[in-house]
Amino acid sequence: YTLHHCFVTCHQVRDSNADQCASHIGVAHGLVTSLRSTLYKSSRGELSIPDDLMRKYSVPSRYLLDPPTDRYDIDENNNNATNDYTQIKKEYKESDDSLRKAVQEIAFVSRAHLHEARNKQNMVPKDGRQALLPAVSALHYLEMLEKVNYDVLHPMLNAAPEAQRLNVALLLGRAWLTGVF
């Protein structure tokens, strides 16, 4: 059982649909947490991307364990530059593309579990729907990850500007009021 299953149980909901929905959210949330922790774990000499995916996409572990700080081709002397972090330097392009493919696969699996949970959420008794709210933050992170083309090392994913916090708070509020994430 996942922590999300415990949330449902704490709301005194005993329902197989709620259990399945919570299970899907738990798996998706775990995968998203793994992606979110990539930079933190790499700073500690750990990898958050599964070994089989690292091999499948030929991602060099050194690229994650010691991410290059100068991987973006940004002209810092040009004040008119947009600094949108889309241009990867040539020497990092192959490793970066491999990493993006591995991250994209994890994100797709996570999104598939969230999709299953979304399909079942209307069958969850109303008292248990609050336990499904963690899906909102997972969905939000996956949307941000997609916007940066699955670049798990992108600075936007690791910063928490006030606008992003407000956006998540509004999404959580809407999900809490409507009972739908």
Side-chain angles (χ1 to χ4, degrees):
Y1 291 109
T2 65
L3 183 60
H4 301 287
H5 175 76
C6 292
F7 291 159
V8 170
T9 304
C10 287
H11 283 89
Q12 298 179 356
V13 174
R14 309 272 189 267
D15 181 74
S16 64
N17 288 319
D19 290 346
Q20 289 176 357
C21 193
S23 177
H24 283 295
I25 290 172
V27 170
H29 203 266
L31 292 170
V32 166
T33 300
S34 175
L35 291 174
R36 274 186 176 152
S37 69
T38 300
L39 271 180
Y40 174 77
K41 284 191 169 191
S42 69
S43 72
R44 301 212 177 291
E46 301 172 12
L47 297 173
S48 64
I49 307 293
D51 217 22
D52 59 335
L53 285 179
M54 296 280 285
R55 281 192 304 273
K56 178 180 177 181
Y57 292 107
S58 302
V59 180
S61 58
R62 72 179 186 291
Y63 191 73
L64 270 179
L65 292 174
D66 189 22
T69 55
D70 64 340
R71 61 193 272 266
Y72 297 107
D73 196 8
I74 296 175
D75 183 4
E76 295 191 17
N77 296 325
N78 182 359
N79 293 334
N80 296 327
T82 58
N83 292 357
D84 62 359
Y85 298 98
T86 57
Q87 299 300 316
I88 303 294
K89 289 184 176 178
K90 287 181 183 179
E91 62 263 31
Y92 304 124
K93 187 83 170 117
E94 187 177 331
S95 298
D96 194 75
D97 287 345
S98 299
L99 177 60
R100 286 176 196 247
K101 289 175 186 173
V103 168
Q104 187 175 27
E105 185 170 330
I106 295 170
F108 283 167
V109 171
S110 180
R111 194 173 289 280
H113 280 282
L114 288 171
H115 181 72
E116 284 298 316
R118 238 185 195 161
N119 288 340
K120 293 182 182 291
Q121 72 181 336
N122 289 332
M123 295 181 261
V124 174
K126 203 165 193 137
D127 293 342
R129 289 192 187 166
Q130 290 178 1
L132 308 180
L133 289 178
V136 174
S137 64
L139 279 168
H140 179 71
Y141 183 81
L142 289 173
E143 287 170 6
M144 288 181 12
L145 190 60
E146 189 175 356
K147 283 180 185 175
V148 296
N149 195 24
Y150 301 98
D151 180 3
V152 75
L153 303 174
H154 196 282
M156 185 181 100
L157 296 175
N158 301 305
E162 295 300 318
Q164 285 183 6
R165 288 186 202 155
L166 180 61
N167 190 22
V168 172
L170 291 172
L171 290 170
L172 280 168
R174 184 192 74 190
W176 182 74
L177 289 171
T178 63
V180 178
F181 63 87

